Amino acid sequence: MKKQFLYTSLVLLMGLGANAQDKSAVKFSGFITKETAYKHLSILASDEYEGRETGKKGAWMAADYIKGEFKKLGLKPPVNGEYFQPIDMATYNLSQTVLTVNGAAKEATVDFNIPAANVGNKGFAFNASDILFAGYGLKKDGYDDFAGQNISGKVVMIFAAGDPTQKAAPGPMDRATMRKMMIARQEKLKYLLDNGALAVLAIDPTLDNMTAEARARSAGNGGRLTLLNAENLANMQKKVLSLVNISTATANDILKASGLTVAGLQQEITTTAKPASRVIKIDVSASAMKQEVKVRAENVLGFLEGSDPKLKKEILVVTGHYDHIGLTTSGPDKVNNGADDDGSGTTGVLLIAEAFTQAKKAGKGPKRSILFMTVVGEEKGLLGSDWYSEHPVFPLENTIADLNTDMIGRTGFEYQGKPDSANYIYVVGSDKLSSELRKISEATNATYTKMILDYKYDDPADPEQIYKRSDHYNFAKHGIPIIFYFDGLHQDYHKPSDEISKINFPLLAKRAQFTFFTAWELANRANRPVVDKTDK
């Protein structure tokens, strides 16, 4: 692990060292307190807010609370006189999902699952009197499951994952391995679509032992949210491959008339190192319909206009996502409170906004303008920040940087039990696009907060790919320098146990102060940080 220990004036990078403290910055950082942090977070992470899931009651309550706080602070509503930026978002519910084998109906979410993404706008229906079993659906040098087989117009059954030509890695899969498997699966489906397959039955063992909660999520594709942007709307018009994921038991039911089993076919392929593709005579039918349901979701924006006539057109953005993952159906505690993820970051945005608005009231406001923005839909795929990056309220070319706080209230695994557990922060992406931004960050830390700045997650080989997993990334992909402040993964991540009782409020406040001091420097320095790199 590479760390930067910045407790002394040894930080002398390109002329940037530990500068004299700005007395105004120090004064107004005093408004960032553990007490105020507790006030905000005890509301946002309460059971009443039901885990703040995007498109649900709790997220709307959180948005209303943040709007009220922005209004109290005197921030301007920048979206045509409003604080909310509505997001055009929908979910696609499936109905009439049917799968029959020899006329016998199978049970949805138990025996089979149909992903909404693989159902066209008009739905699908097929009837077949035979199917093509095509092993692992692989076509590569030395191994071809489709050799001598006609795919066009066929219902094709394949194993959803796996490659008999490669030895499986021992132990649980990491994110990098899972990502490779997902890419490989998409490549298989694309090959089948391009070659005219009518539909695909994918044997998916994850259906075999699903919990009731997981089955509920899979019904109607779990209510997956989709941005109704130009790209997605265009993709919806494209032809998709009808896909039905089936359990091992359902696959065995299809195979038994031919005297075959899933385990037997896997063994045959493994033993011979050759495909076992063949046509299976059996009646199989399936159908599904898809319905679009619009979802209420909004980013919450508060604007502080800069004081310098020339510089105020330039915008510094401070972000955090206010959504979380909502309710669970199992266990005694059903609320995923998301106190750290990302109630802490949202609280940080509110604290920093208060410090800057107090400075402006005292005649010490920032020279550049600052947009304080709490976004929704991060947990659904960075949707709110993606929407803003495509529909910016202020021109992206005028946006000098994004400072993103996502989880700043806890101690991650690697620092637990260590002497420095209450004085560190992971700083992610600070030099991906601007070498100058990291130097500004380090000099600010050396001058004011003297925390340990850990750059572990800047490693391009990071298996967690943290750099791409929060809202700053939707600014970075447009060439805008960013810093992502993060406390690291911990045992309560995405669990109901991510409660306010486990937040270290002094540490949350100190991390928010570090972000504030960095924002103060960026908002008041003569020049915006130079963009001199292209690593996104």
Side-chain angles (χ1 to χ4, degrees):
M1 181 192 305
K2 184 179 179 182
K3 301 179 184 176
Q4 298 289 331
F5 295 88
L6 304 174
Y7 288 98
T8 71
S9 59
L10 294 176
V11 180
L12 295 170
L13 298 169
M14 301 285 288
L16 282 168
N19 303 314
Q21 291 186 345
D22 184 318
K23 292 181 180 179
S24 292
V26 173
K27 175 182 177 180
F28 294 106
S29 72
F31 286 93
I32 299 173
T33 67
K34 62 182 181 180
E35 291 80 13
T36 308
Y38 181 84
K39 183 196 80 168
H40 291 312
L41 192 52
S42 63
I43 295 170
L44 291 167
S46 66
D47 284 356
E48 184 183 3
Y49 279 52
E50 298 182 349
R52 308 187 305 278
E53 184 174 1
T54 300
K56 303 286 180 68
K57 170 189 170 184
W60 303 334
M61 293 172 68
D64 286 335
Y65 176 80
I66 297 162
K67 171 185 173 180
E69 292 302 305
F70 282 174
K71 189 174 183 178
K72 283 184 206 174
L73 292 173
L75 294 173
K76 293 182 178 179
V79 189
N80 300 317
E82 301 291 341
Y83 290 99
F84 286 169
Q85 181 189 36
I87 299 170
D88 203 357
M89 189 183 294
T91 186
Y92 292 88
N93 296 335
L94 297 186
S95 61
Q96 302 177 41
T97 53
V98 175
L99 173 67
T100 67
V101 177
N102 270 341
K106 296 297 181 180
E107 184 178 353
T109 76
V110 175
D111 300 316
F112 72 98
N113 170 264
I114 300 176
N118 291 89
V119 178
N121 290 339
K122 297 181 180 180
F124 75 75
F126 66 80
N127 292 280
S129 57
D130 60 54
I131 66 168
L132 170 62
F133 172 73
Y136 291 87
L138 291 175
K139 184 177 179 64
K140 57 194 295 188
D141 290 343
Y143 185 93
D144 184 0
D145 279 313
F146 302 110
Q149 304 295 333
N150 178 24
I151 300 172
S152 181
K154 286 285 188 180
V155 175
V156 182
M157 184 165 72
I158 61 173
F159 297 117
D163 184 341
T165 69
Q166 296 182 359
K167 187 176 181 180
M173 290 186 293
D174 58 21
R175 285 185 178 272
T177 302
M178 292 177 66
R179 191 175 297 108
K180 288 179 181 177
M181 288 180 60
M182 289 175 64
I183 292 172
R185 178 168 178 166
Q186 291 305 314
E187 289 175 348
K188 293 179 188 179
L189 296 179
K190 184 178 185 305
Y191 178 82
L192 289 163
L193 175 65
D194 292 345
N195 284 273
L198 176 63
V200 174
L201 304 176
I203 306 169
D204 186 354
T206 63
L207 288 172
D208 296 348
N209 298 295
M210 290 179 71
T211 64
E213 181 180 356
R215 287 199 300 271
R217 284 199 306 268
S218 70
N221 204 38
R224 177 175 294 177
L225 298 176
T226 302
L227 288 182
L228 300 181
N229 55 19
E231 180 182 1
N232 288 338
L233 289 172
N235 287 336
M236 289 177 196
Q237 302 306 314
K238 295 179 180 178
K239 183 180 179 181
V240 296
L241 182 64
S242 301
L243 171 66
V244 183
N245 295 315
I246 60 174
S247 67
T248 303
T250 300
N252 281 330
D253 197 20
I254 292 171
L255 294 167
K256 69 181 179 182
S258 300
L260 302 168
T261 65
V262 168
L265 287 167
Q266 288 176 319
Q267 180 65 31
E268 179 182 343
I269 295 170
T270 301
T271 301
T272 65
K274 295 180 181 179
S277 303
R278 64 196 76 188
V279 173
I280 308 293
K281 293 288 185 181
I282 192 164
D283 292 329
V284 177
S285 66
S287 63
M289 297 298 292
K290 186 161 69 173
Q291 178 184 18
E292 180 181 280
V293 179
K294 292 292 181 68
V295 173
R296 174 193 160 185
E298 54 265 322
N299 296 326
V300 191
L301 284 64
F303 181 66
L304 185 69
E305 187 175 31
S307 61
D308 187 292
K310 293 182 179 179
L311 295 179
K312 68 180 182 179
K313 71 175 183 179
E314 296 183 353
I315 312 295
L316 171 66
V317 182
V318 179
T319 54
H321 73 91
Y322 69 85
D323 66 300
H324 193 52
I325 60 173
L327 301 172
T328 181
T329 60
S330 61
D333 185 356
K334 294 181 170 52
V335 181
N336 291 287
N337 300 83
D340 193 29
D341 183 16
D342 181 35
S344 64
T346 300
T347 295
V349 174
L350 292 172
L351 294 171
I352 296 164
E354 181 175 3
F356 272 107
T357 55
Q358 291 292 342
K360 184 164 185 176
K361 288 175 184 176
K364 300 292 184 180
K367 294 178 181 179
R368 289 182 176 83
S369 298
I370 303 179
L371 176 64
F372 299 96
M373 179 167 63
T374 59
V375 297
V376 74
E378 191 271 357
E379 301 289 0
K380 305 295 186 180
L382 313 185
L383 300 184
S385 55
D386 191 5
W387 184 264
Y388 181 86
S389 74
E390 295 180 0
H391 304 84
V393 175
F394 300 97
L396 292 184
E397 59 266 27
N398 292 348
T399 303
I400 68 163
D402 171 52
L403 303 181
N404 183 45
T405 54
D406 188 352
M407 298 174 61
I408 58 170
R410 293 279 299 270
T411 299
F413 285 122
E414 294 181 324
Y415 282 87
Q416 291 174 6
K418 294 185 177 180
D420 47 18
S421 63
N423 195 45
Y424 81 96
I425 186 71
Y426 290 106
V427 178
V428 186
S430 61
D431 71 342
K432 293 288 188 181
L433 294 165
S434 171
S435 57
E436 188 177 23
L437 184 57
R438 174 175 286 190
K439 295 165 189 171
I440 293 168
S441 170
E442 290 181 344
T444 299
N445 182 60
T447 301
Y448 297 102
T449 42
K450 299 178 174 58
M451 301 184 76
I452 294 168
L453 307 186
D454 194 324
Y455 298 116
K456 170 186 175 178
Y457 292 112
D458 276 343
D459 184 352
D462 165 30
E464 298 291 340
Q465 290 295 293
I466 293 294
Y467 173 60
K468 297 181 179 180
R469 287 173 56 188
S470 191
D471 296 293
H472 59 277
Y473 189 67
N474 281 318
F475 289 89
K477 72 183 185 182
H478 288 282
I480 297 168
I482 64 91
I483 301 178
F484 169 28
Y485 303 97
F486 178 54
D487 59 24
L489 299 174
H490 50 70
Q491 56 268 37
D492 300 309
Y493 176 71
H494 279 198
K495 295 178 181 178
S497 50
D498 184 6
E499 298 269 12
I500 190 170
S501 60
K502 298 181 180 180
I503 296 294
N504 183 332
F505 283 97
L507 182 56
L508 189 163
K510 187 170 186 180
R511 288 165 171 164
Q513 285 179 337
F514 174 39
T515 310
F516 166 77
F517 286 125
T518 306
W520 184 278
E521 171 63 22
L522 291 170
N524 289 297
R525 69 198 309 267
N527 299 306
R528 62 193 290 173
V530 64
V531 178
D532 57 358
K533 302 176 76 174
T534 58
D535 184 1
K536 300 179 184 180

